[in-house]
Amino acid sequence: MNKFTLSALSFAIVLAMSGCKPETPAEVQEDVAEARADANEDVRDAQADASETARDANEEIADEMADGDASGVNDARVDATEDTAQARYDVAVAKADGELSIAKERCDGVSDTERDACQAAAEAVYEQAKAEAKADLDATEAAADQM
């Protein structure tokens, strides 16, 4: 083995092993704070979009009411229900995404043997939150179809 290959192999081993150790508590705290700030911003954006969706839906209903079109009013209500349900879903997913990001940053502070379990638990909570949001969306859309 030549000297370059031996050096490269040594470097690769050191690099691989350095990625295996947990982050320091200060690093974890900093990463969690950054993830939390990003998550809060994403949730605020989704909530603002949801508010705009609700406002637009209410305007559409009011326009149909002003036109005196009962069928149009009902259609606008159905659309409003579906649109606001989608917006609520988007907010719930943004929250779940943020919580997952925060949890994964916390997992970086645990030992290698615990990290996989930590991340799996975080993913499980994330998938459950998304499933609940999807179930709520589906139920609301089904109810809207019955209007």
Side-chain angles (χ1 to χ4, degrees):
M1 206 181 281
N2 69 28
K3 195 173 190 176
F4 175 75
T5 304
L6 186 57
S7 295
L9 181 59
S10 297
F11 177 73
I13 291 170
V14 168
L15 186 62
M17 292 183 75
S18 70
C20 296
K21 67 179 181 163
E23 291 183 355
T24 67
E27 290 171 326
V28 170
Q29 185 177 10
E30 183 179 326
D31 291 345
V32 166
E34 184 178 328
R36 183 173 286 120
D38 290 344
N40 287 340
E41 183 178 342
D42 291 345
V43 169
R44 276 193 304 273
D45 290 346
Q47 289 171 332
D49 291 345
S51 293
E52 184 176 338
T53 297
R55 188 172 40 255
D56 292 346
N58 287 333
E59 287 177 12
E60 182 64 29
I61 293 169
D63 289 347
E64 292 296 334
M65 290 177 90
D67 291 344
D69 181 7
S71 176
V73 170
N74 189 57
D75 290 344
R77 286 185 175 148
V78 169
D79 290 345
T81 300
E82 291 174 345
D83 292 348
T84 56
Q86 181 64 50
R88 281 194 315 272
Y89 172 81
D90 293 344
V91 170
V93 170
K95 286 179 182 178
D97 288 343
E99 290 169 4
L100 176 63
S101 178
I102 292 165
K104 283 186 170 186
E105 292 299 341
R106 286 187 177 133
C107 290
D108 288 345
V110 300
S111 69
D112 292 342
T113 57
E114 298 171 343
R115 189 172 302 132
D116 288 341
C118 181
Q119 290 180 346
E123 287 286 343
V125 169
Y126 172 72
E127 292 300 329
Q128 179 64 33
K130 280 182 49 179
E132 289 172 6
K134 180 69 169 134
D136 182 48
L137 173 63
D138 292 344
T140 303
E141 287 179 340
D145 289 342
Q146 300 301 314
M147 294 175 110

